[in-house]
Each structure stands twice: as structure tokens, then as C-alpha cells.
Amino acid sequence: MQKKHGRKIKRVKSLYKPRKSRSRKALEIAAMIVAVCGLGFVGWNIGSAILNYSPPGGQYEIDREPLTVPADTEPDEPGDPGLSDGAENSGSAPLNAIIAPSSVLDNITSLAAYVRQAQQSGFNAVVLEVKDSTGQLFYASGYEPIADSDIMRGTLTAGQIYNAFEDTGVKPVIRLNTLLDSLAPRVLGDVSYVFAADGGRWADDFLDNGGKLWANPFLQGTRDYHLFIIEELVNAGFTDIILANTIFPHFRSSDRSILAPEYTEPAARFEGLAGFVKTLEASGAALYLEMTVRDVVENYAGFNNTAELLRGKNNLNGFGLLLVYNKDDFGAEYRTGEQSTAALPTDIGALASVIYKQAANKVSGFEITPLLSREGLSDREIADVLSAFGELGFESFIIR
């Protein structure tokens, strides 16, 4: 993830500095795991399994101070998924990032304390979720149509949040939930899905049963709203934006008769997603599309679910991919066809290696950053997955 200057849109971005041999990368990431995890980060107390971990190939001693990786000029290795063929190498340092809880944005004291501990624990980047999956904003936006609405939950301005990172050595990265948003359709016009016959607002179930409204990527109101937010963040100094939940609702068969066909027809509707994210490029930010690695790999019927917008991947040059690993997404096998499956390794490190290699093949030409969800994983499993990322050539990674 790299810094943008002004409003210029750069079509190819690099998260990585010049690459090293895979063995060295694995050693350095394993060392970084121990250095940062052993310090007991907020809400994350990694035990002795990681502290005693050593990578394949032998023992080594660990300096418990945050790791400083020296410059390296070894030549690139072919087939390394950490950097796409032909991508520009920016020379920027790799990012080892932690996703912060939204509560750190409650006040400047909480935010400053979190940033300080992130740095002390060895992380050089913090991901801030400023818009959650209900549509709440956790900063004080200047978007007039949502003033005094239930959307606005934050009191800190974008500038105040950015300033909390100055002179810390920690890079702020923004995570923005996009279309999974039940609040904006209530407050803003030209955002919601509507019934084709009478223009009434569509929800994914009866509202009395907990049904939700969704933001519609085809509509200009949805695009204008998200572009305003991103431009506001860029103007405050933020340069890297993760777009999460850029997805369609699950439409039932009955919805095909009451909604416009472009919303429900799988062969064409991805154009709405691609058009939506392309609109956001006008902000000049470096944009990253978040999706699960499972949805990228298990695409025998085409890209679906969180990866559906990749059906239009030929029009998405310049976007990075943030691929999320969730333990519960994988069992003993994964589906490769309607009636065919492929066996998966039982060792979690080997499993991560296989899955991300497959993903790199499926999305050749895109830069990939792995995001590891720690839910359900032991300390040792976390270490094994991160070490696998290092051996694959991913110098940057995010942990949730």
C-alpha cells in the first residue's frame, strides 16, 4: 500500500518493496510473529506455542524488539504471488497491519493509545473501520444529507483521526463497508433497491422479521455517497482504502419478478459492481477489494458471493485484492465442479499455501494481500499460516 500524491490516479500499485528469497522471507515473518505476538497486543495474548516456534530448517534466536528488515537487492523469483507480473515496484516497506476495533475511534485518547501500542507491538500499520456493515459512520463526516441521522456515530473528524498517526511510524489504512448498508437507504434517496412496479423499497426479508435494506451499486446516489466519503478521507491525508462487502444481497427466486432484471441476472449484474468501484477511483486513493480467498478459489461456476465483481476483472486494472482466510471456510476438500471435489491438506500451514497459490493463479495480474482472521485458530495455527504467507512471498499481511 503506497502513498498517493494529489488527485492523480495510478493504475498499478505495489504493496511491496524489492523481493527476497522465500526462505529469507519466511524467516523474517516468523521472527516478526514472535516479536509482535509475544508482547501481548490489545485483545490478543499469544502464548508459548508461538514464542517457541521455529520455522522449517532449524532453530534461531529471536530479538523481542520490533523487527527492522534491512534493504535487500536479491532478484525476483518467478511465480511469486506476492507481486503481479509487470507490476511497478514502489520500494515502500511491507505492511504488517492489525484491524482495530471501532471503539478506538470513540475519542482521541483511545485512538492515540491504540496506535502507540500497535507500534510497540511491532505493527507498522493499523486498519480503521470507519463505516461498518450496518452503515454507521465512526467519524464526523461533512456529508450534509446524513447530518443528525442514525448513520453518524463518530465525533472525531477525518483530519483528527489522521493526525493521531503523525510521527508514530504507523500507517493508517481505512476499511469501508460499502453495499452491505441498511442505514443509508433509509436516509438517502437514490440508494435503495426498489420494486420495479411501484418504486417501493425492497428489503431482503420483511422488516418485522429483521429484514435489511441494501445499497444498490447501480444507482448514482450510492456512488456519490461513497465517493464523497472516500474523497473526504483522502483530503484528510489517508491514501489506502479497503472496500469491503461490495456484494449483492441474496435474491430469492420470487425477487426476479419484482426487481429490475439487471439486479438479479448473474451473467450481467457484476457490471454494476465493477461500475461502482470504478467510480470511486476518481478519489485518487489506492483502492483494495476485500473478498474471501475461498470465493476466489471455488469458482467453478464463475466468481460469486464476495468475489462476484471479479467477473468483470478485466476492467479492474489498478485495484489490489485483499483475500481473507477464515478457518471455517475450509474442511477436508473444496468443490471444483458440480459433482467434483479436491482434497485439501490437514496441516493448516500447508492448506494456506495451497489455497493462496490457487488464488494467485485464478487472479493472475492482481496484487494480493492476505488477511488472516484469528477466529477459531490456536496460537500455533496463527504462526503456521503467517509463516506460509512468508514462504509464498507475501511480505505484507493484515490480521483481524
Side-chain angles (χ1 to χ4, degrees):
M1 295 182 175
Q2 68 185 39
K3 186 172 180 63
K4 296 284 182 176
H5 299 281
R7 304 300 294 277
K8 181 179 179 182
I9 300 172
K10 200 161 188 174
R11 295 291 176 180
V12 180
K13 304 178 288 296
S14 177
L15 304 183
Y16 310 97
K17 69 177 185 177
R19 290 175 289 170
K20 308 173 181 65
S21 67
R22 294 186 184 182
S23 60
R24 178 168 178 175
K25 284 183 230 182
L27 183 69
E28 290 179 346
I29 284 195
M32 190 270 178
I33 295 165
V34 176
V36 302
C37 297
L39 291 173
F41 192 72
V42 173
W44 183 19
N45 184 15
I46 298 297
S48 60
I50 290 183
L51 296 181
N52 295 326
Y53 175 74
S54 63
Q59 302 283 334
Y60 56 89
E61 294 184 359
I62 296 299
D63 183 351
R64 300 300 172 87
E65 295 301 317
L67 184 68
T68 300
V69 180
D72 190 282
T73 57
E74 293 182 31
D76 292 347
E77 293 179 2
D80 188 336
L83 188 65
S84 305
D85 292 341
E88 177 184 324
N89 200 314
S90 69
S92 59
L95 297 186
N96 306 313
I98 184 81
I99 297 181
S102 58
S103 59
V104 305
L105 297 177
D106 286 348
N107 55 69
I108 201 67
T109 302
S110 296
L111 178 58
Y114 192 93
V115 172
R116 183 168 57 253
Q117 188 157 12
Q119 186 205 37
Q120 292 171 352
S121 297
F123 291 97
N124 64 8
V126 168
V127 179
L128 301 170
E129 184 174 68
V130 299
K131 179 171 179 277
D132 71 5
S133 58
T134 67
Q136 295 180 111
L137 280 183
F138 292 96
Y139 79 99
S141 173
Y143 195 58
E144 184 62 30
I146 63 172
D148 301 320
S149 73
D150 291 340
I151 292 174
M152 197 82 75
R153 295 296 301 273
T155 58
L156 299 178
T157 66
Q160 288 173 316
I161 295 170
Y162 183 80
N163 290 341
F165 287 82
E166 287 192 333
D167 302 321
T168 64
V170 178
K171 182 180 180 65
V173 178
I174 294 296
R175 183 174 185 263
L176 189 73
N177 281 278
T178 57
L179 304 179
L180 183 53
D181 181 343
S182 60
L183 292 179
R186 295 176 182 270
V187 176
L188 303 175
D190 201 32
V191 171
S192 181
Y193 290 92
V194 296
F195 299 120
D198 61 11
R201 291 184 303 183
W202 174 92
D204 58 12
D205 198 351
F206 292 108
L207 296 179
D208 291 343
N209 291 337
K212 301 184 299 295
L213 302 174
W214 285 65
N216 184 338
F218 287 89
L219 300 182
Q220 193 62 43
T222 302
R223 299 181 181 195
D224 289 346
Y225 175 45
H226 288 87
L227 180 58
F228 183 96
I229 292 172
I230 294 177
E231 288 184 329
E232 190 171 48
L233 293 165
V234 168
N235 289 336
F238 297 97
T239 58
D240 298 83
I241 314 287
I242 297 167
L243 305 178
N245 287 310
T246 308
I247 56 177
F248 286 108
H250 174 69
F251 292 120
R252 296 157 295 193
S253 57
S254 58
D255 291 323
R256 293 180 179 271
S257 62
I258 58 178
L259 293 172
E262 61 263 32
Y263 306 155
T264 59
E265 178 50 56
R269 68 182 193 169
F270 65 85
E271 295 178 359
L273 299 177
F276 169 71
V277 298
K278 292 289 287 183
T279 296
L280 305 182
E281 281 191 310
S283 66
L287 299 175
Y288 302 88
L289 308 176
E290 180 184 316
M291 57 197 66
T292 69
V293 69
R294 176 180 177 172
D295 287 341
V296 172
V297 170
E298 200 167 270
N299 69 345
Y300 61 91
F303 294 109
N304 286 301
N305 303 316
T306 62
E308 184 170 358
L309 56 77
L310 290 181
R311 289 176 179 249
K313 63 181 180 178
N314 292 337
N315 295 321
L316 297 176
N317 294 330
F319 288 85
L321 298 184
L322 184 64
L323 302 189
V324 182
Y325 181 93
N326 295 300
K327 180 179 181 179
D328 291 344
D329 283 348
F330 298 99
E333 57 187 22
Y334 75 99
R335 189 167 296 280
T336 57
E338 288 292 344
Q339 298 182 352
S340 60
T341 60
L344 290 171
T346 56
D347 176 80
I348 194 167
L351 171 61
S353 181
V354 167
I355 291 299
Y356 278 87
K357 282 180 181 177
Q358 287 280 356
N361 290 334
K362 299 286 187 180
V363 291
S364 176
F366 285 90
E367 295 175 22
I368 296 172
T369 302
L371 188 161
L372 174 62
S373 173
R374 292 175 281 133
E375 186 173 359
L377 295 179
S378 68
D379 298 348
R380 179 58 184 256
E381 287 175 324
I382 293 170
D384 287 349
V385 173
L386 293 182
S387 292
F389 291 164
E391 291 194 7
L392 287 171
F394 297 118
E395 292 189 326
S396 291
F397 59 85
I398 299 174
I399 298 175
R400 177 168 59 205

